[in-house]
Amino acid sequence: MNSTFDIIVVGAGHAGCEAALASARMGAKTLLITQMVDRIAAMSCNPAIGGTAKGHLVKEIDALGGEMAKAIDATGIQFRILNRKKGAAIWSSRAQADMALYSRYMKKTIESTPNLFLRQDSVQQLLVEEVDNKIAVRGVIGGIFGEMRAKKVIMTTGTFLNGLIHIGKHTSPAGRAGDAPSIELADFVRNLGFRVGRLKTGTTPRLDARTINWSILERQDSDEKIIPFSFSTEKIKQELIPCYITHTNAKTHETIRNYLSESPLYSGQIKSSGPRYCPSIEDKVVKFPDRTSHQIFLEPQGYDTCEVYPNGISTSLPLKAQIEFLRTIRGLEEVEVVRSGYAIEYDFIDPTELDATLETKRAANLFLAGQINGTTGYEEAAAQGIIAGINAACSVLQKEALVLSRAEAYIGVLIDDLITKGTAEPYRMFTSRAEHRLYLREDNADSRLTPAGRRIGLVNDADWERYEIRKQQVQEGLQYVRETAIKEEDIRIPLSAPIIPGMKIAQLLKRPELDMEDVNVLPGLPELVRRRIAIELKYEGYISREVHSMKDTETLDKILIHENVPFQTINGLSNEVVQKLKHFQPRTLGQASRISGITPSAVHVLRIWLKNRGNSHSKGV
Ligand SMILES: Cc1cc2nc3c(=O)[nH]c(=O)nc-3n(C[C@H](O)[C@H](O)[C@H](O)COP(=O)(O)OP(=O)(O)OC[C@H]3O[C@@H](n4cnc5c(N)ncnc54)[C@H](O)[C@@H]3O)c2cc1C
């Protein structure tokens, strides 16, 4: 039996799938091991991909040559752009998924990818050996397939390490509902000395669509003009399904309050911290007592299922309480529950144990990606997965690693936040986390990252050709609108001020009240390209200032700090700064500058020291 690979990926969730596809597509012989092959890329929680800042991550994965965007375009049942009334920097794509189709699409993609092998097994240990006083990982040991060797191992075990489910007072060990937890592997990594913490997340009950009174609820359809997630999807062709909206009310909140003593969140049964930005309905009722209602989106889980996901009421109350409070909600008066809501506690590994490639500092050849690093979200996991897969393959194929800076990608922001600051609660992406968000938009993710994806061998010929055509269309379109005068008959809406004869289209499009769809200009171009032209024009002043300020970030990120810098001998660095630098072991001066407590003057002292010490400790000063 074949048991030697270049790369072994443990866990076929959202991180593992992207990691395995990236490494196999780059030419590394890759094995993907997971506990249940018919739950590949399962959506443990909401049946949706994207959302504020999450959509940006999905576009970036796509631009690099990853799969998530293509998967949701093929299996999505409702598509919307969020925040359309705000600035273009935060316009975020979001799509509801047919959960079963999404998982089947990913499984089929994995099974049809050359160099990629799949096995159903539960990995219990890593194969390790000591080399020069450092641990080196050499493979894994599965409960059924036994020893499997590899040059690199990527762990993407999500919420499974010591997973413990809570429903009221009832607890049960599980990676998620219906899946066994990873106990042995959790103990093994803890015994290797990794800093391990405990986090929690939760999910909603699943409702039977046949028992919901849809006729009295507000309907929410897809956008009229749909821009697909993937840059390579021409058009969304499948039938689309609406969501519906309802709200909790005072009776709902009173019912929940009556059961709080049985909530594991409020009885002290759950001690770990949960995702602040995705609170349970218990948290909402307790923390916002004045709110008279909370919005709930009723999201169908697919074409061929009666299950509906009520987004906004994640709970770990006893099932009896869940049914009681649900039936106080408009439209749910007769509702039946198919699956109970629950909370889950799980181990995660402190992400400051990682370097920017997502390889661990403590154990050579071991990469970590996904919720194991303290994030929450399919998109955050997939973004780490593709980077870990790329860098494990680059290491095997002796190519230069891919490290994205905060100035070039949300993926760069995500990984830099994790490895530099760590996290005390499940980390999810927000546009406010990116200091260069005006530049890091969804619409230009391809120009920011597709050349890198092509260089490392992940962007295929067809996608590269499409990219080249798009790039030319944007350049020629911008030139056309800058040189061509607008004609009255091409304007579709009343103007706040008349046009001056000979006014160029570009000048008119800079007006805040106008968007590309308000002028009959460049009608033959794809919607994605027309939108990009309009954004580039409207924001060109801000963007050029942004690009200028990014240079400072990039300069510091290019000043490397080697592992053996004796921080304690550097005059001018306080003990607190020395402790932080020793703990976090930043690889660049930029990373050091972002560690909380590292002052600008400490950065300056360190920069001078590195410059004077030459390249024994640093490069690029
Ligand atoms: C109850 C619950 C609620 C959630 N709520 C939200 C939410 O509200 N919002 C949000 O954005 N995200 C939420 N998530 C998180 C979301 O599901 C994860 O962020 C995402 O799935 C993480 O992807 P991943 O690839 O890191 O791990 P997962 O998707 O969990 O995949 C891990 C994979 O590893 C496999 N595995 C684990 N251990 C082993 C082993 N020893 N050997 C072999 N295979 C193994 C598992 O079988 C699984 O396939 C929730 C998750 C759960 C379980």
Side-chain angles (χ1 to χ4, degrees), residues 11 13-15 34 45 54 121 123 158 182 201-202 278 342 370-371 376-378 381:
H14 303 280
T34 198
C45 194
K54 289 171 176 270
D121 198 354
V123 167
S182 258
T201 188
C278 202
Y342 65 90
Q371 191 130 357
T376 186
Y378 313 134

Side-chain angles (χ1 to χ4, degrees), residues 19 62-63 224 271 347 492 543 549 595:
D62 185 59
E224 231 158 83
K271 296 184 179 43
D347 286 358
R492 295 188 176 129
I543 292 170
S549 84
I595 296 169

